[in-house]
Amino acid sequence: MNSSNKKQTRTQTAKNKTSADNVLRMIPLGGMREIGKNMTVFEYGDDIVVIDCGMAFPDNRMPGIDVIIPDTTYLMENRHKFRGVLITHGHEDHIGALPWLVKEFDVPIYATPMAMKLIEIKFDNFRPRITSDKLQVVRAGDTLRIGEFEIEFIHVNHSIADAVSIALTTPVGTIFYTGDFKIDYTPTTVRPIDLGKIAEIGNRGVLALISESTNAEKEGHSLSERDVGKAFTEIFMQAKGRIIVATFSSNVFRLQQVISMAEQFDRKVIILGRSMQNVFEAANSLDYLTFKKSTIVDIQSIDSFPPEELVILATGSQGEPMSALSRLAFSEHRSTEIIPGDTVVFSSSMIPGNEEAIYRVINELFMKGAQVIYESLSEVHASGHACRDELRQIITLTRPRFFIPSHGEYRMLYRHAELANDMGIPVDNIALLDNGDIVEFTKNSMNFVGYTEGAGILIDGSGMGDVDEYVLRDRLRLAEDGVVSVMVAIDKVANRLYGDPVVLARGFIYESEMHRIVELCRETIVEMADEFWKKKKPLAHAMTPDYVRDKVQKALYDYSRRRPVVMVSMMSI
Ligand SMILES: [Zn+2]
Ligand SMILES: [Zn+2]
């Protein structure tokens, strides 16, 4: 496979600042060897168009970092050529970095209606607020000419409304960029993916296919959105109390299914969580949702309905600590909490890395007496991404000369490349790229010609400032498990504790959890002192700071499986 091995190529290849004549240049600035911050530059002659401009969320090795955005150095160096951004759909990994891009470049942004609504909400909520008079709505089926690029938007199925593939035709040939997609023959409120159009583009000839790889490890075909409806029907038939559905807020099809199901079973729907409300309003303003006005009720009126007449649509399917579902689970929500008899449905997949957070919420929900249904128990979620059969189908229809897997971690790209090779695309015509790699196409060749900055920029708060790695490491130590400080006073004469130990805990997200931690530390120390007193050992000698720290640390670990930093100060009176 034509993998660009940086150790070799980066020392041998000079940085190419601009493209030669009659070649099409492609530079992924994000989305390769990762899921997140998708952004790809296409350059022909004096024109550059960019597809998508997403953000990535930091993993747990980067505490305090809000987001990661693509590095746009290449665009700054070629600012005079930059003609516009084409958006495939409104997910964060495709639009999230637009506020930073728009601050730097005053270029048109072309997006479909739902994506544009979400971009507008994003710009409105950004501080300082972003305004742009260059937002242009496009629709599947539209064509556009930007400089040397002939652009077509093609309707696809995905877990958000208005997702499109993009075909870019240039003098050297056509690039077919799938964006995120699945092939759903029985979607709920929209048409199936426009396979006819894709076949037509394939018949005209496709130079290169750039195809997403999220589910490239999964054999077969993704579940249809309609199948999710069947699973929901069963849940609604069996639930005796409230039904709480957690899902990705941008999945309008899922929101619609839950709302329709609620109407069918005479339940009212409460929308909980800011992003859920935003998307609901955006989709509603586009007439993408169908429901009776009386179906949606406000959280304030929750007490006017018996549990069996309520459905709550909530954010938090990934266990996000500040989300509506987490607040409900940990009794931190202003208006309501989990009550026995509730049925909680996780209508989403677990994004790798979030399992621990999700299971924490699930455990808490069970403890509060809720019935919890999640992916492994029922078909309550259909992935928005194509599995291997669907990926094969796109290759069959487009019959590309060159193939570049994108939108995936390295192993996903690799498995996708293998699949393409099995279908007859020669190894030399497949490229496993990294972010920042520069590839050039002619009518009959694809070559790696250099690289640009591709590592991404860490955003701390809202400033554009980079964050030093040392700062990160310090934060990691402190942030991971929290801090507990213990102050103990000993009455030497009585050989007892002088008053209660003072315990302070920091770095625990929930008030309730913090109280439990503090109580546990106090109990441990009081018991310890009682033991020594009974054995007539002098506390002032037996209870050394090290001894106390070890015991407290052990108790905390037994309870929470975490190792907070414990600081002990002792005083004898
Ligand atoms: Zn997506
Ligand atoms: Zn995506």
Side-chain angles (χ1 to χ4, degrees), residues 35-36 38 89 91-94 158 179-180 212 214 385 407:
I35 295 212
N38 295 283
H89 64 288
H91 279 152
E92 289 294 357
D93 58 324
H94 300 260
H158 186 40
D180 295 4
E212 74 127 320
T214 317
H385 299 276
H407 200 285

Side-chain angles (χ1 to χ4, degrees), residues 253-322:
F253 308 122
R254 199 65 48 81
L255 303 194
Q256 177 68 65
Q257 294 231 62
V258 173
I259 293 169
S260 302
M261 201 67 66
E263 290 185 334
Q264 205 182 313
F265 285 83
D266 290 322
R267 286 172 181 257
K268 303 290 181 197
V269 177
I270 292 172
I271 314 265
L272 222 52
R274 194 168 58 118
S275 64
M276 190 73 84
Q277 262 152 356
N278 280 344
V279 171
F280 177 81
E281 271 152 37
N284 198 24
S285 72
L286 293 167
D287 278 332
Y288 286 0
L289 292 169
T290 318
F291 57 91
K292 283 180 258 160
K293 233 181 160 191
S294 60
T295 302
I296 310 293
V297 296
D298 195 82
I299 180 74
Q300 310 306 338
S301 53
I302 188 163
D303 293 329
S304 3
F305 300 96
E308 66 274 16
E309 285 177 21
L310 280 175
V311 175
I312 298 175
L313 262 168
T315 54
S317 64
Q318 296 305 306
E320 304 94 319
M322 302 313 282

Side-chain angles (χ1 to χ4, degrees), residues 16 30-31 65 68 127-128 152 208 227 238 274 276 284 287 408 443 445 463 465 475 482 530 536 551 565 573:
N16 278 268
I65 295 303
I68 308 164
R127 292 293 171 270
E152 289 171 87
D227 297 327
Q238 278 162 18
R274 194 168 58 118
M276 190 73 84
N284 198 24
D287 278 332
K443 282 187 173 131
S445 71
R475 282 184 191 172
D530 280 346
K536 298 205 162 53
K551 289 288 176 203
V565 175
I573 297 163

